[in-house]
Each structure stands twice: as C-alpha cells, then as structure tokens.
Amino acid sequence: MFKESLSGVAAFVALLTVTGCTAEAPAPDRPDTVVVAVAMPFTSLNAGTADGRAPGSTLVRSLVQAGFVSLDEDGVAVVDESFGTVEKVSDAPLTVKYTIDPAATWSDGTAVTPADLLLEWAARSGQLDDVTPELDAQGGVVNNDELDAGVAFAAASPALVQAQQLPTVDGAALTLTYATPVADWQVALDVNLPAHVVGQTALGVEDPAAAAAAVSTAIAQEDKAALSSISKTWRSDFDADALAQHVDQAVSTGPYAVDVIVPGERVELVRNEEYAGDGVARYERVVIRSDLDPLAEVEALSAGSVDVATPADTTDVLEALAEVAGAQVRTGGDSTLQLQLQTAGAGAFDPATYGGDAAVASTVRRAFLLTVDRDAIVAEIVAPLWPDAAVADALLPSVGPDAGVATDSVDAADLAEARSLLDEAGVTEPVEVRVLTNTADPLRAAMLAELTESAAQAGFEVEPYTPAVGLGPDLADAPTAWDAALVPVPQADLPIDSVVARWGTGGATNVTGWTDPATDAATTTLAQTLDPAVVDDQLAGVATSLDAGGAVLSLVRQPVVVATRGSAAATAGGTPAAPDVEPLALGRADLTDWWSWARTAG
C-alpha cells in the first residue's frame, strides 16, 4: 500500500537511529505560582481521543502542547511559525507539507521530528487499524480484549481518513497527500504524542532517537506485532490515571511541562526550560484545580489560595463574588444554545406525520420557531448573569460564534404569524413537542419554561421528553423520543467537517435526520473548499438553507464568568495578580489563546 514512499521513510529512520500518583497541594506561600480553579478535570494528554478533547484536557493541553496551528474563537487557523510551517503545495491532489522548526523540542530535550507527525497520521488516518471498537448503548467499549490483541488506534479523523498514502519524509519535513479535497486541511494533522516515548514504552527501546525510529519502521513496514503494542500504548498510556503513575512520560512541547497529576483533583505545570517558541512561561508553576464546587472556588479566591476562578455563572456565584474584596470579575459567552428540530422521528416535525408532505412539516417547524421569544430569554434569563448577552443569530457555531448568520430570523415571538402558518398547514389540533434538554441546568430549565408558555399561545404543547437511555445517547440514537433538542453547540476541532457531518444527509453526527437538496448542495461545495478566504461565503449558503426549512434556531450563548484576585487583593507568596484574564469558554476547541495571560513575549 505504501511502496511509493518507503524510500523517504527508510532514510528518515536511518537518520533517527544515529542522531507520582499523589502529591501535597501547594502551600499558601507559593512564590511565582498561579492557581486556576476550573469545573472540568484533566483526563488525557492525547488530543486524538475523546477524553483528550474533553474541556478539562483541552485546557491543560493548550498550555503544555505547542504545534503548527491553533484555532481562535472564530474558528480561524493561527499558525505558530516558531514551531514550523504548514504549506499547501498542490490542490490536485491536495498535498500539504509540514516543516518542523529546528528549535521545536520536547520537554525532555528530545527534538520534535517527522516521526511524531508520522505516528499521528498512523493513529488518525485509520489506515493501519484491523479492529473496530464495539460500543454498548451508553457508548462504552465492549471488545477491549480484541482491541488490545489487534492494531487499534481507534481514533480515525474524518479528515485524515482521506490521507490514504504513507506520508513522505525529507529531513525535517513531512508531506501528506489526500485522495479527495479536505476543507480542514490546515488543522487536520499536528504533533500530538511523542513518538520516542511511545517507542520506549511499547517497544522497549531505550534511546529516544532509536525508539522514534522503531515506531516509524513499524508504520512503514506495517509490522502488525509492533503496531499492536504501539496502538495500545497510544490509546491508553496517556490518560490521567496512567500518567499519574509515570509523569515522566507526559513530555510536552509548549511553554509549560507537566510536573504533577492528581486525577480528578489537579494538574501542576512548571516552566518548560526546553521551550524556545513564542510566548514563554510567565510563571514558574501553574496549578489547575478541578476539586472545588462553584462557591468553594469563590471562597478559595477570597482566601488567596486561588488566583483565577472560573465557577459556573449563577446568581449565587455572582452575589458571592461581589463580596470578595478586590476581585476583578468579567462575564462572557461560551457555547451557543440552540433549538434543533427532529425531522426523522415520526413526531411533530417529521414529514411522515403529515402523510409525507415535506412542505407541511416545514411550515409546522417554522411556526414553532416563531413562538420562541429570544428577546425575553436574553433579557429575563441570561442578562442578569451576563449584562452584554445578545440574541445569537449564527446557525453554525461549531465553526465560530458568528458563523452562518440567519438574516431572516426574528428576535421576539410572532405568535400571530405562528398561528397563521399552522392554519396554512391545515393543523387544527395542538401539536405536541417533546423537548430534550438538561433540566438540571437552571438556565436551560428556565428557557424551557419560557418556551412552554409562549408556544402554548400558538397551539403547541411543549413538554420535557421521557428519557430512553440518557441525554447524550438519546440525542444521538433515539430520534423517536424527542421532537426538539435545546442543547449547547461547542466549537469543533475540525470546523468545516463538523458542519458537513451535522447537516448533510446521512452525516455522521446528523442527529435530527435533516435532509434537504439545498443543504446538501451547499455542504458538498463547502467540503471541497480549499481556500480559507471563501469559507464564510460557503457557510452562508448552508445557513440559508437551514433557516428556510426551519431546521434550527440559535438562542443565546451560555454565560460564563471569570474572577481574579485583582491588584487590591493580597498577593500570596509574591505571585503577581493574573492580568487581563478573559472569561473561560470551555466549549472552545482550542484554548491556546485563553492562556495568553500565563505567557509572555520573548
């Protein structure tokens, strides 16, 4: 399968060959140490796994791992040329060249090389896997023994599955060729786990260069026995529990390095002396705690044992923060809360309910969305927590908070028009709408109550859905259990693919069964767009089709708050107060730029 590029890898392999579980928490007197409290624990250093992409893991990785590209709040790729360059060298076939800067180094002093990229290609392309995970109804893996016995990275990326050829290596550069256009080519591949550590652990090769070379050889030669061990190590040895026992394996490429991991409680990071990129560490140590509830975070901030608190944004929390002397408090927005309508569940918005008449179903959907009083939701429910809150019109927030704006949507409910549309559709009986949402969240519970009251005035009976398995599994796999989902939409690590997979007919994450020729035409064009400069125009076409069919309605961004012990507060242990900390949006796919306050130029 890889014969055409084996010579480059063989030369690269030859070049490589020659060339605590628990710890005491920081004391109150902690010079040059900043403590950050967050709601989500760190679970994995591996960005290729679901645990590694969880918010608490993303937060840590964004400070300890450098790479070619990061994503900003708008889903725009930001290149770090101090790490290397990413160059599209051909459109047909799509060919991308990665060149690693000579200064890029792992925290144990080992140079970053194309072996690290080659490992990530092997893991994320799916080309070498010979076993597939089998899942139960809750999403748990039930065939772990088979995975361990075979080759199973089990982390195929929708983008990298199109890179079916073994990459070629030339010195510090790796070149990737795609079989089809991939719009997310800028962020599809990056350095993730250290090939030399994987080789040392999986293959028992002590020398770092030789260990990385052994991994590359196994990939190039498709050595099933070696790849079985490599894939198991890649898949499981970089989660929090494993690294807590072997923290020396948690090597990193960013301004900070991992020093202590206490699973479920905290991660301690220290200045990475090997880092020579842009934005070096501002502090000697950063402690990220996840063991405090929201009000306990506020208490710790007041006591000086926490410097940056990111508690849930609730009335109780804001009132408590107001009592903390000298605290600087800032509010902002995180993931966009949307109403997504189920069109394939034989319910209120499915054409099958109306004898297969798609036009009638569309009319009923649009009528329902007209009953949503977004102005009231913002003013009465969200603004008390975030004064700058505004109605969200972007329909594709997995790309960025302003991606795909629906220009025809209205902010206030139009009950008269909603009733008129139901009359037009010939619907005379009240329409039952079962809404799937997390009612344990006071914000969403309040939104559901507002929606219930407003929709009733136009002929809709809104009620919470009855769980089949649970919120997450039901959203994905129980279309007959719900008619509308009120859910947050986070940013995606593959922004363009997230839109195509979510709204294209039969898409991998199309949970509402949405199908529409106009949407499919727009997503097909979007998926093949290789010029980032025209992506916004392509997204607009997708949003227009969704808006016209009444598929989805954005409400408002989830409010978040951050508090720091400002300059008026006592300075614990000589650590300067954290400057200009933005509200922490854990729904972001990449939090590298959130940490700008913990880095300094030079």
Side-chain angles (χ1 to χ4, degrees):
M1 173 166 61
F2 305 140
K3 291 180 180 178
E4 65 274 14
S5 54
L6 281 176
S7 59
V9 172
F12 168 55
V13 167
L15 175 64
L16 277 176
T17 303
V18 298
T19 56
C21 182
T22 61
E24 293 184 4
D29 181 19
R30 41 185 169 81
D32 210 17
T33 294
V34 65
V35 181
V36 182
V38 299
M40 300 290 186
F42 167 76
T43 51
S44 176
L45 200 60
N46 187 350
T49 65
D51 280 344
R53 292 189 296 273
S57 298
T58 298
L59 184 68
V60 172
R61 287 191 301 98
S62 295
L63 198 56
V64 303
Q65 290 184 340
F68 292 97
V69 179
S70 59
L71 280 176
D72 69 10
E73 184 182 25
D74 295 321
V76 175
V78 180
V79 178
D80 181 358
E81 293 191 356
S82 70
F83 188 87
T85 59
V86 181
E87 177 188 5
K88 179 164 62 70
V89 297
S90 173
D91 285 339
L94 173 62
T95 306
V96 183
K97 182 178 181 180
Y98 300 80
T99 303
I100 301 168
D101 190 276
T105 306
W106 293 100
S107 56
D108 63 0
T110 302
V112 177
T113 71
D116 302 305
L117 281 172
L118 189 64
L119 172 61
E120 194 63 6
W121 169 83
R124 305 304 308 280
S125 69
Q127 299 302 307
L128 303 175
D129 283 21
D130 58 19
V131 184
T132 302
E134 298 173 4
L135 307 179
D136 59 22
Q138 285 74 35
V141 177
V142 298
N143 64 331
N144 281 304
D145 290 344
E146 289 84 354
L147 295 177
D148 289 347
V151 179
F153 291 97
S157 154
L160 287 176
V161 295
Q162 303 301 330
Q164 296 163 5
Q165 300 178 28
L166 181 71
T168 58
V169 172
D170 181 12
L174 178 143
T175 300
L176 197 66
T177 301
Y178 290 88
T180 61
V182 171
D184 288 310
W185 62 267
Q186 287 182 294
V187 292
L189 179 68
D190 214 324
V191 169
N192 179 23
L193 298 183
H196 67 285
V197 173
V198 171
Q200 289 170 327
T201 304
L203 305 177
V205 180
E206 292 187 9
D207 178 75
V215 170
S216 296
T217 297
I219 294 169
Q221 296 180 356
E222 298 188 61
D223 181 338
K224 294 291 187 179
L227 287 171
S228 178
S229 182
I230 289 169
S231 63
K232 181 180 178 182
T233 296
W234 186 93
R235 197 175 66 244
S236 59
D237 280 18
F238 292 86
D239 64 23
D241 290 331
L243 291 178
Q245 305 293 331
H246 303 282
V247 75
D248 58 307
Q249 295 181 4
V251 299
S252 60
T253 53
Y256 289 85
V258 180
D259 185 50
V260 174
I261 297 174
V262 182
E265 295 185 17
R266 73 181 188 279
V267 177
E268 297 188 26
L269 313 176
V270 294
R271 186 188 307 274
N272 179 6
E273 301 294 348
E274 299 291 339
Y275 180 72
D278 293 338
V280 299
R282 180 185 296 270
Y283 303 100
E284 280 296 328
R285 182 176 295 268
V286 174
V287 180
I288 303 172
R289 296 184 60 177
S290 57
D291 60 337
L292 301 174
D293 64 42
L295 290 177
E297 285 190 36
V298 178
E299 292 176 4
L301 184 76
S302 180
S305 58
V306 161
D307 303 295
V308 181
T310 63
D313 190 354
T314 66
T315 300
D316 288 348
V317 164
L318 293 180
E319 290 176 349
L321 285 172
E323 299 298 318
V324 179
Q328 295 178 343
V329 180
R330 304 176 74 175
T331 53
D334 195 356
S335 299
T336 298
L337 289 162
Q338 283 192 336
L339 269 174
Q340 301 180 357
L341 305 191
Q342 178 60 254
T343 65
F349 307 123
D350 187 344
T353 301
Y354 307 99
D357 194 324
V360 170
S362 175
T363 301
V364 174
R365 290 194 297 270
R366 289 184 288 115
F368 177 69
L369 295 181
L370 283 171
T371 70
V372 182
D373 195 334
R374 298 191 295 173
D375 278 342
I377 288 173
V378 170
E380 299 170 13
I381 299 173
V382 182
L385 305 176
W386 175 25
D388 294 331
V391 168
D393 284 327
L395 294 186
L396 306 172
S398 59
V399 176
D402 299 317
V405 173
T407 57
D408 295 334
S409 57
V410 295
D411 296 346
D414 190 339
L415 301 177
E417 179 62 16
R419 287 190 293 266
S420 176
L421 287 176
L422 289 181
D423 291 341
E424 176 187 322
V427 176
T428 57
E429 298 295 326
V431 179
E432 180 185 292
V433 179
R434 300 157 299 166
V435 177
L436 179 154
T437 195
N438 178 14
T439 53
D441 174 6
L443 195 77
R444 277 172 253 181
M447 290 181 182
L448 180 60
E450 162 63 35
L451 175 61
T452 300
E453 181 179 350
S454 180
Q457 300 177 56
F460 291 93
E461 294 181 349
V462 174
E463 59 184 38
Y465 93 114
T466 301
V469 176
L471 282 171
D474 290 353
L475 179 67
D477 298 318
T480 60
W482 56 275
D483 304 301
L486 173 54
V487 291
V489 181
Q491 190 185 57
D493 56 335
L494 294 176
I496 306 306
D497 176 78
S498 70
V499 174
V500 175
R502 174 64 190 83
W503 294 110
T505 298
T509 57
N510 186 338
V511 298
T512 63
W514 177 256
T515 179
D516 176 70
T519 304
D520 288 342
T523 54
T524 297
T525 300
L526 177 65
Q528 299 180 3
T529 298
L530 299 180
D531 182 359
V534 302
V535 164
D536 284 350
D537 289 340
Q538 305 300 339
L539 291 172
V542 178
T544 297
S545 67
L546 298 176
D547 191 37
V552 59
L553 181 69
S554 292
L555 306 181
V556 65
R557 294 175 67 186
Q558 182 98 19
V560 288
V561 62
V562 66
T564 59
R565 50 168 192 84
S567 58
T571 301
T575 297
D580 301 325
V581 179
E582 296 290 335
L584 175 59
L586 285 171
R588 290 271 302 278
D590 189 318
L591 293 163
T592 301
D593 61 1
W594 182 78
W595 283 113
S596 60
W597 60 270
R599 306 175 68 163
T600 185

